[in-house]
Amino acid sequence: MLVLKKRKRIVWLSALVLIVVVPITIFLQIIIHSNVPELAEGSIEQRYAQQGSYHVKVEEVKRTSGEALFRIYYPHFKETNPILLFLGGMEQMPRQIVMMSS
């Protein structure tokens, strides 16, 4: 009887893994192998997908262990420095003000 319970548990666990893993694998394959569609001439997507007039700078934020957490993309201004505000929600004062300098 104990063997049947273990076998039943293994069957249920493997079924659960298949139910979760197979759709995720299929989804990832679709995303990886999907083609970027051509933008229609004169469409709003074509207008905003173009590169802007500013050069883009990238700052990579890392953990102390060196692992990359995220990247910040921002325009590189030659004359002025932009001020970035990080707000904690609606109707709150800024918690941190960061000046990005060149």
Side-chain angles (χ1 to χ4, degrees):
M1 198 60 130
L2 186 61
V3 174
L4 288 176
K5 284 185 177 184
K6 284 185 180 181
R7 191 174 289 168
K8 191 174 183 180
R9 189 176 298 157
I10 290 172
V11 169
W12 277 103
L13 186 61
S14 59
L16 181 65
V17 168
L18 285 175
I19 289 171
V20 171
V21 170
V22 170
I24 290 174
T25 305
I26 292 171
F27 174 74
L28 289 176
Q29 290 298 319
I30 290 171
I31 295 297
I32 290 170
H33 298 295
S34 64
N35 295 327
V36 178
E38 293 294 324
L39 301 176
E41 188 67 34
S43 67
I44 193 166
E45 290 86 2
Q46 184 188 34
R47 178 178 177 195
Y48 289 107
Q50 296 175 11
Q51 290 239 319
S53 59
Y54 294 107
H55 295 286
V56 176
K57 291 192 81 174
V58 179
E59 291 286 331
E60 192 169 73
V61 178
K62 297 182 179 184
R63 293 181 192 252
T64 55
S65 63
E67 178 188 359
L69 287 175
F70 53 89
R71 291 186 188 133
I72 300 173
Y73 297 89
Y74 60 95
H76 174 65
F77 297 102
K78 293 182 181 178
E79 300 89 27
T80 61
N81 295 324
I83 296 176
L84 301 176
L85 299 175
F86 294 93
L87 302 175
M90 297 176 62
E91 299 179 20
Q92 289 194 8
M93 297 298 294
R95 292 185 188 172
Q96 182 178 10
I97 299 175
V98 177
M99 292 193 67
M100 307 293 258
S101 60
S102 52

